[in-house]
Amino acid sequence: MLKRFVVLLFAWLSCAAGNFVGAAEAILRIGDGSNGAPLTLFQKQALDLALAGRGKVTMKRVLPSRAAAALREGEFDLIVLDARFRPPADAGLRTRPYAAEALCVYVHPGNPSGSLTPAEVLNLLTEARPRWSKFGPRAADVQRITLKSDMPETTLIRRVFGERNYAPEVFRVGSVAQMFTFLNPAAAGFGPFLPERSAEIIALPVGDVAPDTASVVSGRYPLALHYWIVTGKSDSPLLSEFLNTVFSPESRRMLPETGLLPIWEVQR
């Protein structure tokens, strides 16, 4: 009887230990097909899971064209994609709207320019010496200002327009606030949409659509980007916990700090 009890106890401990190791080794694999857009917030949420002992989270870049195959092959549990590349409805995957961001052209209130087209915004960033006379009565050269980045390939400008030969004459600063201090009537600052900004700064319309929260969230503003979260048909416990955090009220409050706006309650 005692021998049987010892055997059963050993079997139970082995099973419990196996469950404990399995939980400790739970891994959530995130693929970034958005060129870096929402990962600042994801990194915080991943760290929270790790510190709570819930599991390990890894993040790796993935080509948008490989997203569907990578999920089906089990390479990733979750991929963040630019909405322009999300898989079709019949791909056997789950897609959830997540966040939006937008590129704006900020000018001084004394700048008389009107609406620009997306092509004109791109020309302002790529021409060697653009002139305001193309867009209004001012005759000065356009003094272009953008944000510095440790990883230039992941900047908002490149997320919107892709890899281009951007003009080396563009002046780069360290923050949006610093960019705004340089905005004189001949300057144009290229930066993220800000729901709240100084009344002394104007964001030019693009395609006759002014950038505001409604136009960015709806996608009507031409230089807005939307990001969706794509997963397999079923969620693991760790993935479900992560998604609950991603779509929580706390995340909704934090997203604007990263330059993103939540869209999961707007688009279905």
Side-chain angles (χ1 to χ4, degrees), residues 42-87:
F42 274 25
Q43 287 167 352
K44 178 193 179 303
Q45 293 161 335
L47 181 61
D48 289 345
L49 284 179
L51 291 176
R54 311 300 289 175
K56 179 181 177 182
V57 182
T58 65
M59 299 184 188
K60 189 171 70 172
R61 292 278 183 85
V62 60
L63 291 174
S65 59
R66 259 201 45 78
L71 283 167
R72 282 195 289 262
E73 293 167 7
E75 185 178 347
F76 296 99
D77 303 295
L78 173 157
I79 293 178
V80 186
L81 280 180
D82 184 317
R84 294 174 291 185
F85 304 106
R86 75 178 189 267

Side-chain angles (χ1 to χ4, degrees), residues 8 18 31 35 43 63 172 235 250 268:
L8 288 175
N35 219 11
Q43 287 167 352
L63 291 174
R172 291 172 173 81
D235 298 341
E250 180 186 5
R268 292 294 179 191

Side-chain angles (χ1 to χ4, degrees), residues 99 108 119 136-137 173 209 213 254:
H108 187 276
V173 296
V209 179
T213 299
M254 292 174 59

Side-chain angles (χ1 to χ4, degrees), residues 19-33:
N19 288 337
F20 176 78
V21 171
E25 292 180 347
I27 298 177
L28 177 63
R29 296 156 298 178
I30 297 176
D32 172 26

Side-chain angles (χ1 to χ4, degrees), residues 102 104 106 176-177 179-180 191-198 211 213 256 259 261:
C104 292
Y106 294 104
V176 173
M179 179 177 71
F180 286 174
F193 168 73
L194 301 173
E196 298 180 7
R197 58 179 180 271
S198 170
T213 299
L261 296 174

Side-chain angles (χ1 to χ4, degrees), residues 2-266:
L2 179 61
K3 181 178 180 181
R4 183 184 177 196
F5 173 77
V6 170
V7 171
L8 288 175
L9 178 62
F10 179 80
W12 181 84
L13 289 173
S14 299
C15 182
N19 288 337
F20 176 78
V21 171
E25 292 180 347
I27 298 177
L28 177 63
R29 296 156 298 178
I30 297 176
D32 172 26
S34 69
N35 219 11
L39 291 194
T40 300
L41 185 58
F42 274 25
Q43 287 167 352
K44 178 193 179 303
Q45 293 161 335
L47 181 61
D48 289 345
L49 284 179
L51 291 176
R54 311 300 289 175
K56 179 181 177 182
V57 182
T58 65
M59 299 184 188
K60 189 171 70 172
R61 292 278 183 85
V62 60
L63 291 174
S65 59
R66 259 201 45 78
L71 283 167
R72 282 195 289 262
E73 293 167 7
E75 185 178 347
F76 296 99
D77 303 295
L78 173 157
I79 293 178
V80 186
L81 280 180
D82 184 317
R84 294 174 291 185
F85 304 106
R86 75 178 189 267
D90 60 356
L93 302 169
R94 296 181 66 187
T95 59
R96 303 165 172 89
Y98 173 56
E101 68 175 346
L103 175 66
C104 292
V105 183
Y106 294 104
V107 297
H108 187 276
N111 188 312
S113 301
S115 179
L116 303 174
T117 67
E120 288 172 335
V121 176
L122 179 58
N123 287 341
L124 282 173
L125 289 163
T126 55
E127 288 184 6
R129 189 180 174 183
R131 302 276 291 175
W132 280 116
S133 56
K134 287 186 176 181
F135 315 106
R138 183 171 297 277
D141 290 346
V142 181
Q143 299 173 9
R144 296 162 291 183
I145 305 169
T146 63
L147 300 176
K148 289 179 182 176
S149 174
D150 294 334
M151 301 178 66
E153 72 277 8
T154 66
T155 60
L156 174 56
I157 289 172
R158 281 179 166 78
R159 287 200 290 272
V160 173
F161 289 117
E163 289 299 320
R164 308 276 183 164
N165 292 321
Y166 296 102
E169 296 86 2
V170 176
F171 181 55
R172 291 172 173 81
V173 296
S175 69
V176 173
Q178 188 180 9
M179 179 177 71
F180 286 174
T181 64
F182 286 91
L183 287 185
N184 58 61
F190 301 85
F193 168 73
L194 301 173
E196 298 180 7
R197 58 179 180 271
S198 170
E200 298 177 357
I201 300 298
I202 297 173
L204 292 179
V206 176
D208 293 321
V209 179
D212 56 30
T213 299
S215 65
V216 171
V217 167
S218 68
R220 289 190 302 108
Y221 178 65
L223 302 185
L225 297 177
H226 284 192
Y227 302 106
W228 286 55
I229 291 176
V230 187
T231 65
K233 277 296 185 182
S234 59
D235 298 341
S236 67
L238 185 59
L239 176 55
S240 294
E241 186 172 355
F242 185 77
L243 291 175
N244 287 339
T245 304
V246 164
F247 294 118
S248 68
E250 180 186 5
S251 290
R252 170 175 282 279
R253 291 190 295 271
M254 292 174 59
L255 265 177
E257 299 175 10
T258 69
L260 298 170
L261 296 174
I263 61 173
W264 62 79
E265 293 177 356
V266 179

